[in-house]
Amino acid sequence: MNLNNNEIINLIINRRSHRKYLDKDISDDIIETIINCGRNAPFGGKPKPDCQVAEYVIIKDNNIKEKLTLNYEDRQFVKDAPIIIAILANKDNDSKYQEYILSSALSIENMIISAESFGIGTCVLSCFINHKKHIEDKNITRKILNLPENVELIALLTMGYKDDSEQIPEKQLKNYKDIVYLDTYNKYLE
Ligand SMILES: Cc1cc2nc3c(=O)[nH]c(=O)nc-3n(C[C@H](O)[C@H](O)[C@H](O)COP(=O)(O)O)c2cc1C
């Protein structure tokens, strides 16, 4: 079977994070489509509105973008992103099993792949969910976005049309057979 011409597979395998964007607006229709792809990802619980965990803030305001850099040297690209989407998890919609991080993460990947399909590059920014040293930074970000207590900040996703002049470092992955086991852990494939 020739899988090389499968567009979706190629898009997923060749996707990279992009941190340099063209100064070109992303239309509201495209943003809505990307978020629609996000919210159609699987989520823990019944396929009903009161189990839908992921919520989103579309950030266009330059002042807010600037604040979200947190003065981190390696986050300066954030303020130049045409759009940033904050991906949130409303914990009220998953109070029993607390699977909201997984649900929202699946939503993020759907958004990344759908953005790629429009030629829009993205970069996930960690929001320090479990990082003790960065609790203060997380709280600052929560305040900037005006988040209530029951809403977890999962990640920020920067997005913009790709600037082809960006130098993206080569990606090196572990060998397939070093990370994929058969039936039980550490039983390697032939
Ligand atoms: C949980 C998570 C946190 C990340 N945090 C950051 C970040 O704070 N800053 C950044 O520039 N990239 C961040 N990234 C992007 C990773 O650096 C990138 O996905 C990884 O190096 C693999 O490269 P690729 O996306 O080009 O395949 C994050 C990605 C994930 C999934």
Side-chain angles (χ1 to χ4, degrees):
M1 191 169 30
N2 180 9
L3 297 176
N4 291 336
N5 58 7
N6 183 315
E7 239 179 88
I8 297 175
I9 302 292
N10 284 329
L11 192 135
I12 291 171
I13 288 187
N14 294 318
R15 178 219 55 84
R16 297 299 310 276
S17 291
H18 290 264
R19 300 174 178 86
K20 194 170 176 188
Y21 310 105
L22 298 181
D23 183 13
K24 178 179 165 188
D25 284 344
I26 303 175
S27 73
D28 288 339
D29 279 355
I30 289 187
I31 296 171
E32 186 170 338
T33 302
I34 290 171
I35 293 180
N36 268 330
C37 288
R39 68 201 195 96
N40 271 289
F43 50 80
K46 295 195 171 64
K48 302 280 180 204
D50 60 359
C51 292
Q52 186 184 341
V53 175
E55 297 184 351
Y56 311 85
V57 181
I58 301 166
I59 300 153
K60 296 182 176 182
D61 184 289
N62 287 334
N63 243 331
I64 297 181
K65 286 182 196 168
E66 176 99 39
K67 286 184 190 161
L68 291 174
T69 66
L70 295 173
N71 289 324
Y72 283 15
E73 204 177 312
D74 59 356
R75 282 207 178 173
Q76 291 309 305
F77 72 93
V78 170
K79 65 176 185 308
D80 299 323
I83 293 289
I84 305 169
I85 298 183
I87 294 91
L88 315 170
N90 189 324
K91 295 191 269 187
D92 290 348
N93 287 357
D94 181 21
S95 52
K96 193 167 167 198
Y97 296 111
Q98 310 258 309
E99 293 171 321
Y100 51 86
I101 295 179
L102 178 54
S103 296
S104 293
L106 291 172
S107 171
I108 295 170
E109 181 64 2
N110 266 17
M111 293 165 75
I112 292 170
I113 300 305
S114 58
E116 278 283 321
S117 77
F118 292 115
I120 292 170
T122 60
C123 186
V124 177
L125 292 177
S126 145
C127 286
F128 319 122
I129 297 172
N130 294 314
H131 199 300
K132 293 210 166 40
K133 271 196 191 154
H134 284 148
I135 277 187
E136 186 53 26
D137 293 330
K138 180 183 166 183
N139 287 338
I140 292 169
T141 311
R142 291 182 59 85
K143 274 195 194 116
I144 296 168
L145 297 174
N146 205 13
L147 300 184
E149 191 124 311
N150 59 321
V151 172
E152 183 62 274
L153 174 61
I154 304 297
L156 299 174
L157 187 66
T158 57
M159 54 178 71
Y161 287 97
K162 297 174 189 175
D163 182 335
D164 292 335
S165 70
E166 180 175 1
Q167 300 281 335
I168 298 176
E170 193 198 339
K171 185 161 176 169
Q172 294 172 344
L173 296 176
K174 290 184 181 176
N175 295 323
Y176 180 85
K177 287 190 171 177
D178 290 341
I179 57 158
V180 181
Y181 307 106
L182 182 64
D183 293 329
T184 55
Y185 193 73
N186 272 355
K187 185 176 170 210
Y188 287 98
L189 299 168
E190 293 294 302

